[in-house]
């Protein structure tokens, strides 16, 4: 992969690193505290936050992304704001409305499903609670590869019917349910492998279930991120900046995939989210008719979401809303609450610099800082020419 500008030496890099631990409001990905290493460079700030279970060959892409943002900066933006989806973790149905309150104006909601220890009935209840709170929302679900093909085929049918059947204006038990509403926008990574995704798409088509399959882990954790689409395993792609090695690499992969893409975060701090917003803002898109008629230029707010091609979601131009509104999961972040905040379901395209007092207050323990420094050294070695 083409190298990007970076520090003069490993000592120069380590001197620029701040390791922080961000407390979370709810358990997400099995953690209640998110650790990341932030890097201050001549072009801004970058974030290295590869999850602890990732080995060095995988984590090196996350470091490459951090260095690109810190030494090269973001790619040129084509819009000034990006529409995002709300994200509902695998919580009880009773907690859903409170979580959605943290996502003002979001017209698309991603719901986590297939959580270990839960049942499909819990997923259905969670989706129904979303639509009770926001009846007009588009719903996408994310199984993180937890289902078999048979389990996924059944679950997708049930969840799609649950979405189609919800009508907040109709009292329960007052007549037959019409399944003529909008169904699921898509199901994200329902199965773990590419072969399973191919089988599932064929099974859904045979069963008459018209729900798109989106690939996430099959792209960001794959040696060949294009394989799943070329094999016929995905109608859409979910792409993340850090796992792909930076915003410019994300843009290149998205262009080659040739399917609608959703730019998403990897449980990032405000610094990492800003990198995702920058990537989403740089994606080519389809302007709305009103925007074209008005002659709006780059950075106009007429493009409500980011992606390639057409697809469902929050935008009147049919481009999927980005999965970048995860900042609400943190009790504390590295910037003041008003710096990176949702406005009518959008995040602004802007550089983000951590507040020095927050960097100090959220500083990780000495042993955890040492762990991250050692990891950075190992990954940086892998970036060097052989």
């Amino acid at each position: 992969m083409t190298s990007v500008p970076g520090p003069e030496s490993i000592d120069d890099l380590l001197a620029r690193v701040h390791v922080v631990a961000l407390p979370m409001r709810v358990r997400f990905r099995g953690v209640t505290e998110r650790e990341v290493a932030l890097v201050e460079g001549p072009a801004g700030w970058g974030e290295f936050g590869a999850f602890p279970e990732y080995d060095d060959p995988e984590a090196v892409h996350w470091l490459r992304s951090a260095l690109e943002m810190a030494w090269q900066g973001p790619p040129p933006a084509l819009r000034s704001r990006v529409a995002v989806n709300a994200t509902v973790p695998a919580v009880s149905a009773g907690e859903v409305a409170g979580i959605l309150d943290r996502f003002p104006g979001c017209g698309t909601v991603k719901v986590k499903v297939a959580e270990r220890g839960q049942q499909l009935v819990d997923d259905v209840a969670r989706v129904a609670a979303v639509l009770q709170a926001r009846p007009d929302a588009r719903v996408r679900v994310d199984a993180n590869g937890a289902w078999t093909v048979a389990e996924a085929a059944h679950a997708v049918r049930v969840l799609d019917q649950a979405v189609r059947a919800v009508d907040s204006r109709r009292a329960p038990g007052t007549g037959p349910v019409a399944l003529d509403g909008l169904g699921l926008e898509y199901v994200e990574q329902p199965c773990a492998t590419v072969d399973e995704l191919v089988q599932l798409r064929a099974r859904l088509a045979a069963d008459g279930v018209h729900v798109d399959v989106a690939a996430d882990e099959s792209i960001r954790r794959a040696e060949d991120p294009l394989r799943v689409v070329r094999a016929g395993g995905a109608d859409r792609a979910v792409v993340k900046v850090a796992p792909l090695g930076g915003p410019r690499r994300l843009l290149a992969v998205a262009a080659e995939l040739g399917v609608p893409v959703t730019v998403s975060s990897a449980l990032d701090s405000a610094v990492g989210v800003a990198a995702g917003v920058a990537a989403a803002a740089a994606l080519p898109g389809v302007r709305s008719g009103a925007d074209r008629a008005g002659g709006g230029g780059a950075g106009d707010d007429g493009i409500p979401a980011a992606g390639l091609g057409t697809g469902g979601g929050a935008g009147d131009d049919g481009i999927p809303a980005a999965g970048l509104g995860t900042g609400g999961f943190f009790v504390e972040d590295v910037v003041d609450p008003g710096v990176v905040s949702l406005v009518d379901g959008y995040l602004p395209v802007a550089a983000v610099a951590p507040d020095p007092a927050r960097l100090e207050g959220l500083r990780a323990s000495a042993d955890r800082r040492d762990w991250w420094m050692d990891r950075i050294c190992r990954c940086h070695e892998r970036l060097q020419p052989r």
Side-chain angles (χ1 to χ4, degrees), residues 274-298:
V277 172
L283 281 166
V286 181
R287 290 190 180 277
S288 66
D291 187 47
R292 287 193 299 268

Side-chain angles (χ1 to χ4, degrees), residues 52-310:
E53 66 269 24
Y54 289 7
D55 58 17
D56 292 349
E58 189 168 3
V60 71
H61 301 298
W62 299 60
L63 182 59
R64 182 179 284 109
S65 176
L67 299 185
E68 178 180 332
M69 286 298 294
W71 267 264
Q72 194 171 357
L78 300 179
R79 51 190 65 84
S80 63
R81 63 178 187 169
V82 171
V84 302
N85 65 246
T87 300
V88 175
V91 298
S92 68
E95 298 175 83
V96 167
I99 287 173
L100 289 177
D101 286 342
R102 302 176 198 147
F103 298 91
C106 291
T108 300
V109 181
K110 181 168 88 168
V111 182
K112 290 288 187 176
V113 296
E115 180 81 355
R116 183 176 299 177
Q118 295 186 6
Q119 305 298 321
L120 181 58
V121 65
D122 301 306
D123 299 333
V124 171
R126 192 176 307 116
V127 166
V130 166
L131 290 168
Q132 287 299 313
R134 298 198 181 174
D136 296 325
R138 289 305 312 271
V139 176
R140 51 182 68 154
V141 296
D142 181 8
N144 288 115
W147 288 322
T148 65
V149 173
E151 289 170 341
H154 175 65
V156 172
R157 173 187 284 276
V158 169
L159 290 166
D160 184 53
Q161 290 180 346
V163 172
R164 293 178 186 278
V166 168
D167 185 344
S168 62
R169 299 164 296 180
R170 176 182 171 279
T174 57
V177 174
L179 300 178
D180 55 0
L182 288 173
L184 287 174
E185 183 190 8
Y186 60 74
V187 55
E188 181 177 332
Q189 200 68 43
C191 305
T193 70
V194 171
D195 289 344
E196 287 175 317
L197 294 179
V198 172
Q199 294 174 46
L200 176 62
R201 287 188 71 226
R203 175 81 171 267
L204 292 176
D207 291 346
V209 179
H210 304 294
V211 176
D212 282 356
V213 173
D216 176 11
E217 287 88 347
S218 292
I219 292 173
R220 66 180 167 89
R221 303 198 69 178
E223 290 186 12
D224 179 4
L226 307 178
R227 177 177 172 244
V228 63
V229 171
R230 289 172 174 167
D235 304 283
R236 297 165 176 262
V238 178
V239 290
K240 296 178 170 68
V241 168
L244 288 176
R248 289 167 179 81
R249 172 61 175 159
L250 181 150
L251 294 173
V253 169
E256 290 189 77
L257 285 169
V259 297
V261 301
T262 299
V263 178
S264 187
S265 73
L267 200 56
D268 304 319
S269 79
V271 171
V273 167
V277 172
L283 281 166
V286 181
R287 290 190 180 277
S288 66
D291 187 47
R292 287 193 299 268
D300 234 3
D301 286 347
I303 302 179
L308 283 175
T310 59

Side-chain angles (χ1 to χ4, degrees), residues 16-38:
R16 299 170 179 268
V17 171
H18 302 262
V19 181
V20 296
L22 308 180
M24 301 185 63
R25 298 180 188 277
V26 295
R27 182 176 294 274
F28 197 83
R29 285 188 56 94
V31 301
T32 56
E33 190 175 68
R34 174 71 164 126
E35 293 180 348
V36 296
L38 303 179

